[in-house]
Amino acid sequence: MFKFGIGELMGIRSFIHRLTAPSPSSSAPAGDYKLALLVNHELKMGKGKIGAQAGHASVKSVLNLGKKNPSRLDAWLTSGQAKICLKVEDEAAILSLVKSAKSMDIPAVIVRDAGRTQIPSNSLTVAAIGPALVDDIDKITGHLKLL
């Protein structure tokens, strides 16, 4: 039986992705794409909670985009699946950014917590904006600091 460390597994995963990623569709704008994850800093979530909530937002955003705009999803997958985690002061600020994204026809989703652990039920924990062109995401989130 083979034993691999996380570094080796991630390297193998990246290699497999390069082999199996779909080619970009001509109906999506050319360029680099990314997904921005907006973390509600007001909640003071632990690292594990942030990771779980960011995972929920990522999956929700990607699944929605696959249904609504598969060519844009293909473009994001083939451009490296870039993701960025950003710190946002509170729920109101996140909702404002999500509204801006939607007004620009950029996909955006929010995640609210079930309240089973450290966060009160229905708290907005993370939002995802994109996947979309990097320049378009930066118009909305360029002023935010990395988490």
PDB file of all heavy atoms in Angstrom, residues 40-71:
ATOM      1  N   ASN A  40     -17.473  36.896   6.853  1.00  0.00           N
ATOM      2  CA  ASN A  40     -18.044  37.843   7.814  1.00  0.00           C
ATOM      3  C   ASN A  40     -17.146  37.907   9.041  1.00  0.00           C
ATOM      4  O   ASN A  40     -17.199  37.051   9.917  1.00  0.00           O
ATOM      5  CB  ASN A  40     -19.462  37.424   8.185  1.00  0.00           C
ATOM      6  CG  ASN A  40     -20.175  38.430   9.043  1.00  0.00           C
ATOM      7  OD1 ASN A  40     -19.561  39.321   9.640  1.00  0.00           O
ATOM      8  ND2 ASN A  40     -21.490  38.285   9.126  1.00  0.00           N
ATOM      9  N   HIS A  41     -16.325  38.955   9.108  1.00  0.00           N
ATOM     10  CA  HIS A  41     -15.339  39.097  10.181  1.00  0.00           C
ATOM     11  C   HIS A  41     -15.993  39.395  11.529  1.00  0.00           C
ATOM     12  O   HIS A  41     -15.427  39.098  12.583  1.00  0.00           O
ATOM     13  CB  HIS A  41     -14.343  40.190   9.807  1.00  0.00           C
ATOM     14  CG  HIS A  41     -13.130  40.250  10.662  1.00  0.00           C
ATOM     15  ND1 HIS A  41     -12.238  39.204  10.763  1.00  0.00           N
ATOM     16  CD2 HIS A  41     -12.661  41.217  11.478  1.00  0.00           C
ATOM     17  CE1 HIS A  41     -11.275  39.544  11.605  1.00  0.00           C
ATOM     18  NE2 HIS A  41     -11.510  40.755  12.052  1.00  0.00           N
ATOM     19  N   GLU A  42     -17.180  39.966  11.507  1.00  0.00           N
ATOM     20  CA  GLU A  42     -17.900  40.326  12.724  1.00  0.00           C
ATOM     21  C   GLU A  42     -18.211  39.106  13.598  1.00  0.00           C
ATOM     22  O   GLU A  42     -18.287  39.217  14.823  1.00  0.00           O
ATOM     23  CB  GLU A  42     -19.200  41.032  12.330  1.00  0.00           C
ATOM     24  CG  GLU A  42     -20.106  41.413  13.464  1.00  0.00           C
ATOM     25  CD  GLU A  42     -21.375  42.082  12.967  1.00  0.00           C
ATOM     26  OE1 GLU A  42     -22.034  41.529  12.053  1.00  0.00           O
ATOM     27  OE2 GLU A  42     -21.695  43.153  13.495  1.00  0.00           O
ATOM     28  N   LEU A  43     -18.344  37.939  12.985  1.00  0.00           N
ATOM     29  CA  LEU A  43     -18.724  36.730  13.722  1.00  0.00           C
ATOM     30  C   LEU A  43     -17.578  36.104  14.502  1.00  0.00           C
ATOM     31  O   LEU A  43     -17.808  35.230  15.333  1.00  0.00           O
ATOM     32  CB  LEU A  43     -19.336  35.695  12.774  1.00  0.00           C
ATOM     33  CG  LEU A  43     -20.647  36.101  12.104  1.00  0.00           C
ATOM     34  CD1 LEU A  43     -21.066  35.042  11.097  1.00  0.00           C
ATOM     35  CD2 LEU A  43     -21.729  36.334  13.141  1.00  0.00           C
ATOM     36  N   LYS A  44     -16.345  36.490  14.210  1.00  0.00           N
ATOM     37  CA  LYS A  44     -15.167  35.943  14.912  1.00  0.00           C
ATOM     38  C   LYS A  44     -15.155  34.405  14.880  1.00  0.00           C
ATOM     39  O   LYS A  44     -14.920  33.746  15.891  1.00  0.00           O
ATOM     40  CB  LYS A  44     -15.108  36.437  16.362  1.00  0.00           C
ATOM     41  CG  LYS A  44     -15.193  37.936  16.523  1.00  0.00           C
ATOM     42  CD  LYS A  44     -13.981  38.618  15.972  1.00  0.00           C
ATOM     43  CE  LYS A  44     -14.052  40.112  16.254  1.00  0.00           C
ATOM     44  NZ  LYS A  44     -13.544  40.930  15.210  1.00  0.00           N
ATOM     45  N   MET A  45     -15.382  33.853  13.691  1.00  0.00           N
ATOM     46  CA  MET A  45     -15.393  32.395  13.532  1.00  0.00           C
ATOM     47  C   MET A  45     -13.988  31.832  13.681  1.00  0.00           C
ATOM     48  O   MET A  45     -13.003  32.485  13.322  1.00  0.00           O
ATOM     49  CB  MET A  45     -15.939  32.015  12.153  1.00  0.00           C
ATOM     50  CG  MET A  45     -17.393  32.343  11.947  1.00  0.00           C
ATOM     51  SD  MET A  45     -17.972  31.906  10.291  1.00  0.00           S
ATOM     52  CE  MET A  45     -17.339  33.287   9.328  1.00  0.00           C
ATOM     53  N   GLY A  46     -13.902  30.611  14.162  1.00  0.00           N
ATOM     54  CA  GLY A  46     -12.633  29.901  14.214  1.00  0.00           C
ATOM     55  C   GLY A  46     -12.207  29.485  12.816  1.00  0.00           C
ATOM     56  O   GLY A  46     -12.995  29.488  11.868  1.00  0.00           O
ATOM     57  N   LYS A  47     -10.947  29.092  12.679  1.00  0.00           N
ATOM     58  CA  LYS A  47     -10.406  28.710  11.369  1.00  0.00           C
ATOM     59  C   LYS A  47     -11.170  27.552  10.740  1.00  0.00           C
ATOM     60  O   LYS A  47     -11.442  27.558   9.542  1.00  0.00           O
ATOM     61  CB  LYS A  47      -8.930  28.337  11.496  1.00  0.00           C
ATOM     62  CG  LYS A  47      -8.044  29.494  11.845  1.00  0.00           C
ATOM     63  CD  LYS A  47      -6.618  29.035  12.084  1.00  0.00           C
ATOM     64  CE  LYS A  47      -5.772  30.186  12.589  1.00  0.00           C
ATOM     65  NZ  LYS A  47      -4.431  29.768  12.948  1.00  0.00           N
ATOM     66  N   GLY A  48     -11.506  26.568  11.551  1.00  0.00           N
ATOM     67  CA  GLY A  48     -12.245  25.425  11.019  1.00  0.00           C
ATOM     68  C   GLY A  48     -13.626  25.807  10.531  1.00  0.00           C
ATOM     69  O   GLY A  48     -14.091  25.324   9.492  1.00  0.00           O
ATOM     70  N   LYS A  49     -14.286  26.669  11.273  1.00  0.00           N
ATOM     71  CA  LYS A  49     -15.626  27.129  10.894  1.00  0.00           C
ATOM     72  C   LYS A  49     -15.552  27.930   9.604  1.00  0.00           C
ATOM     73  O   LYS A  49     -16.382  27.753   8.707  1.00  0.00           O
ATOM     74  CB  LYS A  49     -16.225  27.980  12.025  1.00  0.00           C
ATOM     75  CG  LYS A  49     -17.657  28.386  11.783  1.00  0.00           C
ATOM     76  CD  LYS A  49     -18.555  27.175  11.849  1.00  0.00           C
ATOM     77  CE  LYS A  49     -20.009  27.564  11.888  1.00  0.00           C
ATOM     78  NZ  LYS A  49     -20.854  26.368  11.891  1.00  0.00           N
ATOM     79  N   ILE A  50     -14.563  28.807   9.494  1.00  0.00           N
ATOM     80  CA  ILE A  50     -14.384  29.583   8.267  1.00  0.00           C
ATOM     81  C   ILE A  50     -14.161  28.631   7.081  1.00  0.00           C
ATOM     82  O   ILE A  50     -14.759  28.801   6.018  1.00  0.00           O
ATOM     83  CB  ILE A  50     -13.219  30.580   8.386  1.00  0.00           C
ATOM     84  CG1 ILE A  50     -13.582  31.692   9.365  1.00  0.00           C
ATOM     85  CG2 ILE A  50     -12.842  31.152   7.019  1.00  0.00           C
ATOM     86  CD1 ILE A  50     -12.421  32.615   9.721  1.00  0.00           C
ATOM     87  N   GLY A  51     -13.310  27.641   7.272  1.00  0.00           N
ATOM     88  CA  GLY A  51     -13.040  26.685   6.197  1.00  0.00           C
ATOM     89  C   GLY A  51     -14.295  25.957   5.749  1.00  0.00           C
ATOM     90  O   GLY A  51     -14.546  25.812   4.548  1.00  0.00           O
ATOM     91  N   ALA A  52     -15.093  25.507   6.709  1.00  0.00           N
ATOM     92  CA  ALA A  52     -16.319  24.777   6.370  1.00  0.00           C
ATOM     93  C   ALA A  52     -17.309  25.690   5.637  1.00  0.00           C
ATOM     94  O   ALA A  52     -17.903  25.298   4.621  1.00  0.00           O
ATOM     95  CB  ALA A  52     -16.956  24.214   7.636  1.00  0.00           C
ATOM     96  N   GLN A  53     -17.478  26.899   6.137  1.00  0.00           N
ATOM     97  CA  GLN A  53     -18.429  27.822   5.523  1.00  0.00           C
ATOM     98  C   GLN A  53     -17.958  28.266   4.139  1.00  0.00           C
ATOM     99  O   GLN A  53     -18.758  28.402   3.209  1.00  0.00           O
ATOM    100  CB  GLN A  53     -18.660  29.034   6.432  1.00  0.00           C
ATOM    101  CG  GLN A  53     -19.278  28.682   7.780  1.00  0.00           C
ATOM    102  CD  GLN A  53     -20.639  28.025   7.652  1.00  0.00           C
ATOM    103  OE1 GLN A  53     -21.570  28.614   7.117  1.00  0.00           O
ATOM    104  NE2 GLN A  53     -20.756  26.806   8.137  1.00  0.00           N
ATOM    105  N   ALA A  54     -16.658  28.483   3.976  1.00  0.00           N
ATOM    106  CA  ALA A  54     -16.108  28.822   2.659  1.00  0.00           C
ATOM    107  C   ALA A  54     -16.311  27.661   1.689  1.00  0.00           C
ATOM    108  O   ALA A  54     -16.613  27.875   0.505  1.00  0.00           O
ATOM    109  CB  ALA A  54     -14.631  29.183   2.768  1.00  0.00           C
ATOM    110  N   GLY A  55     -16.180  26.444   2.193  1.00  0.00           N
ATOM    111  CA  GLY A  55     -16.443  25.269   1.357  1.00  0.00           C
ATOM    112  C   GLY A  55     -17.891  25.223   0.905  1.00  0.00           C
ATOM    113  O   GLY A  55     -18.184  24.963  -0.265  1.00  0.00           O
ATOM    114  N   HIS A  56     -18.818  25.497   1.825  1.00  0.00           N
ATOM    115  CA  HIS A  56     -20.242  25.528   1.464  1.00  0.00           C
ATOM    116  C   HIS A  56     -20.496  26.573   0.371  1.00  0.00           C
ATOM    117  O   HIS A  56     -21.189  26.300  -0.614  1.00  0.00           O
ATOM    118  CB  HIS A  56     -21.109  25.880   2.672  1.00  0.00           C
ATOM    119  CG  HIS A  56     -21.156  24.837   3.739  1.00  0.00           C
ATOM    120  ND1 HIS A  56     -21.250  23.485   3.491  1.00  0.00           N
ATOM    121  CD2 HIS A  56     -21.152  24.969   5.099  1.00  0.00           C
ATOM    122  CE1 HIS A  56     -21.292  22.826   4.638  1.00  0.00           C
ATOM    123  NE2 HIS A  56     -21.228  23.702   5.624  1.00  0.00           N
ATOM    124  N   ALA A  57     -19.941  27.762   0.552  1.00  0.00           N
ATOM    125  CA  ALA A  57     -20.154  28.838  -0.424  1.00  0.00           C
ATOM    126  C   ALA A  57     -19.554  28.482  -1.787  1.00  0.00           C
ATOM    127  O   ALA A  57     -20.170  28.741  -2.828  1.00  0.00           O
ATOM    128  CB  ALA A  57     -19.564  30.147   0.098  1.00  0.00           C
ATOM    129  N   SER A  58     -18.371  27.889  -1.782  1.00  0.00           N
ATOM    130  CA  SER A  58     -17.716  27.507  -3.039  1.00  0.00           C
ATOM    131  C   SER A  58     -18.547  26.492  -3.800  1.00  0.00           C
ATOM    132  O   SER A  58     -18.802  26.655  -5.008  1.00  0.00           O
ATOM    133  CB  SER A  58     -16.329  26.921  -2.767  1.00  0.00           C
ATOM    134  OG  SER A  58     -15.488  27.862  -2.181  1.00  0.00           O
ATOM    135  N   VAL A  59     -18.959  25.448  -3.102  1.00  0.00           N
ATOM    136  CA  VAL A  59     -19.730  24.391  -3.757  1.00  0.00           C
ATOM    137  C   VAL A  59     -21.060  24.940  -4.275  1.00  0.00           C
ATOM    138  O   VAL A  59     -21.447  24.679  -5.419  1.00  0.00           O
ATOM    139  CB  VAL A  59     -19.959  23.206  -2.787  1.00  0.00           C
ATOM    140  CG1 VAL A  59     -20.965  22.218  -3.351  1.00  0.00           C
ATOM    141  CG2 VAL A  59     -18.630  22.510  -2.488  1.00  0.00           C
ATOM    142  N   LYS A  60     -21.742  25.718  -3.454  1.00  0.00           N
ATOM    143  CA  LYS A  60     -23.031  26.291  -3.858  1.00  0.00           C
ATOM    144  C   LYS A  60     -22.869  27.163  -5.098  1.00  0.00           C
ATOM    145  O   LYS A  60     -23.656  27.064  -6.048  1.00  0.00           O
ATOM    146  CB  LYS A  60     -23.593  27.106  -2.689  1.00  0.00           C
ATOM    147  CG  LYS A  60     -24.985  27.616  -2.881  1.00  0.00           C
ATOM    148  CD  LYS A  60     -25.457  28.305  -1.587  1.00  0.00           C
ATOM    149  CE  LYS A  60     -26.873  28.821  -1.709  1.00  0.00           C
ATOM    150  NZ  LYS A  60     -27.334  29.480  -0.477  1.00  0.00           N
ATOM    151  N   SER A  61     -21.843  27.995  -5.122  1.00  0.00           N
ATOM    152  CA  SER A  61     -21.613  28.887  -6.254  1.00  0.00           C
ATOM    153  C   SER A  61     -21.299  28.112  -7.530  1.00  0.00           C
ATOM    154  O   SER A  61     -21.843  28.401  -8.595  1.00  0.00           O
ATOM    155  CB  SER A  61     -20.479  29.854  -5.927  1.00  0.00           C
ATOM    156  OG  SER A  61     -20.302  30.767  -6.971  1.00  0.00           O
ATOM    157  N   VAL A  62     -20.431  27.134  -7.419  1.00  0.00           N
ATOM    158  CA  VAL A  62     -20.027  26.350  -8.590  1.00  0.00           C
ATOM    159  C   VAL A  62     -21.195  25.527  -9.129  1.00  0.00           C
ATOM    160  O   VAL A  62     -21.410  25.474 -10.344  1.00  0.00           O
ATOM    161  CB  VAL A  62     -18.804  25.467  -8.256  1.00  0.00           C
ATOM    162  CG1 VAL A  62     -18.550  24.437  -9.332  1.00  0.00           C
ATOM    163  CG2 VAL A  62     -17.575  26.344  -8.060  1.00  0.00           C
ATOM    164  N   LEU A  63     -21.975  24.921  -8.252  1.00  0.00           N
ATOM    165  CA  LEU A  63     -23.137  24.150  -8.714  1.00  0.00           C
ATOM    166  C   LEU A  63     -24.154  25.052  -9.407  1.00  0.00           C
ATOM    167  O   LEU A  63     -24.703  24.689 -10.453  1.00  0.00           O
ATOM    168  CB  LEU A  63     -23.789  23.403  -7.552  1.00  0.00           C
ATOM    169  CG  LEU A  63     -22.985  22.229  -6.977  1.00  0.00           C
ATOM    170  CD1 LEU A  63     -23.676  21.663  -5.745  1.00  0.00           C
ATOM    171  CD2 LEU A  63     -22.759  21.150  -8.022  1.00  0.00           C
ATOM    172  N   ASN A  64     -24.415  26.229  -8.836  1.00  0.00           N
ATOM    173  CA  ASN A  64     -25.343  27.171  -9.465  1.00  0.00           C
ATOM    174  C   ASN A  64     -24.840  27.604 -10.839  1.00  0.00           C
ATOM    175  O   ASN A  64     -25.609  27.675 -11.794  1.00  0.00           O
ATOM    176  CB  ASN A  64     -25.549  28.406  -8.586  1.00  0.00           C
ATOM    177  CG  ASN A  64     -26.433  28.139  -7.395  1.00  0.00           C
ATOM    178  OD1 ASN A  64     -27.074  27.094  -7.289  1.00  0.00           O
ATOM    179  ND2 ASN A  64     -26.464  29.082  -6.473  1.00  0.00           N
ATOM    180  N   LEU A  65     -23.545  27.906 -10.930  1.00  0.00           N
ATOM    181  CA  LEU A  65     -22.991  28.355 -12.202  1.00  0.00           C
ATOM    182  C   LEU A  65     -23.045  27.229 -13.240  1.00  0.00           C
ATOM    183  O   LEU A  65     -23.307  27.491 -14.418  1.00  0.00           O
ATOM    184  CB  LEU A  65     -21.550  28.843 -12.022  1.00  0.00           C
ATOM    185  CG  LEU A  65     -20.932  29.519 -13.235  1.00  0.00           C
ATOM    186  CD1 LEU A  65     -21.741  30.747 -13.658  1.00  0.00           C
ATOM    187  CD2 LEU A  65     -19.497  29.905 -12.949  1.00  0.00           C
ATOM    188  N   GLY A  66     -22.832  26.001 -12.810  1.00  0.00           N
ATOM    189  CA  GLY A  66     -22.917  24.875 -13.735  1.00  0.00           C
ATOM    190  C   GLY A  66     -24.294  24.735 -14.362  1.00  0.00           C
ATOM    191  O   GLY A  66     -24.425  24.345 -15.521  1.00  0.00           O
ATOM    192  N   LYS A  67     -25.324  25.073 -13.605  1.00  0.00           N
ATOM    193  CA  LYS A  67     -26.697  25.020 -14.130  1.00  0.00           C
ATOM    194  C   LYS A  67     -27.006  26.208 -15.038  1.00  0.00           C
ATOM    195  O   LYS A  67     -27.630  26.060 -16.066  1.00  0.00           O
ATOM    196  CB  LYS A  67     -27.704  25.028 -12.977  1.00  0.00           C
ATOM    197  CG  LYS A  67     -27.743  23.775 -12.157  1.00  0.00           C
ATOM    198  CD  LYS A  67     -28.740  23.942 -11.018  1.00  0.00           C
ATOM    199  CE  LYS A  67     -28.620  22.814 -10.018  1.00  0.00           C
ATOM    200  NZ  LYS A  67     -29.437  23.057  -8.820  1.00  0.00           N
ATOM    201  N   LYS A  68     -26.569  27.405 -14.618  1.00  0.00           N
ATOM    202  CA  LYS A  68     -26.960  28.636 -15.311  1.00  0.00           C
ATOM    203  C   LYS A  68     -26.038  29.025 -16.455  1.00  0.00           C
ATOM    204  O   LYS A  68     -26.489  29.604 -17.442  1.00  0.00           O
ATOM    205  CB  LYS A  68     -27.032  29.789 -14.313  1.00  0.00           C
ATOM    206  CG  LYS A  68     -28.128  29.614 -13.292  1.00  0.00           C
ATOM    207  CD  LYS A  68     -28.133  30.745 -12.297  1.00  0.00           C
ATOM    208  CE  LYS A  68     -29.207  30.496 -11.239  1.00  0.00           C
ATOM    209  NZ  LYS A  68     -29.191  31.514 -10.199  1.00  0.00           N
ATOM    210  N   ASN A  69     -24.750  28.731 -16.320  1.00  0.00           N
ATOM    211  CA  ASN A  69     -23.791  29.184 -17.334  1.00  0.00           C
ATOM    212  C   ASN A  69     -22.600  28.210 -17.392  1.00  0.00           C
ATOM    213  O   ASN A  69     -21.500  28.540 -16.945  1.00  0.00           O
ATOM    214  CB  ASN A  69     -23.318  30.602 -17.013  1.00  0.00           C
ATOM    215  CG  ASN A  69     -22.611  31.249 -18.175  1.00  0.00           C
ATOM    216  OD1 ASN A  69     -22.037  30.577 -19.018  1.00  0.00           O
ATOM    217  ND2 ASN A  69     -22.641  32.567 -18.214  1.00  0.00           N
ATOM    218  N   PRO A  70     -22.818  27.018 -17.945  1.00  0.00           N
ATOM    219  CA  PRO A  70     -21.749  26.016 -17.973  1.00  0.00           C
ATOM    220  C   PRO A  70     -20.487  26.475 -18.696  1.00  0.00           C
ATOM    221  O   PRO A  70     -19.389  26.072 -18.332  1.00  0.00           O
ATOM    222  CB  PRO A  70     -22.369  24.810 -18.680  1.00  0.00           C
ATOM    223  CG  PRO A  70     -23.784  25.132 -18.938  1.00  0.00           C
ATOM    224  CD  PRO A  70     -24.060  26.543 -18.535  1.00  0.00           C
ATOM    225  N   SER A  71     -20.612  27.344 -19.684  1.00  0.00           N
ATOM    226  CA  SER A  71     -19.408  27.792 -20.393  1.00  0.00           C
ATOM    227  C   SER A  71     -18.533  28.653 -19.485  1.00  0.00           C
ATOM    228  O   SER A  71     -17.310  28.582 -19.536  1.00  0.00           O
ATOM    229  CB  SER A  71     -19.764  28.541 -21.672  1.00  0.00           C
ATOM    230  OG  SER A  71     -20.495  29.712 -21.379  1.00  0.00           O
TER     231      SER A  71
END
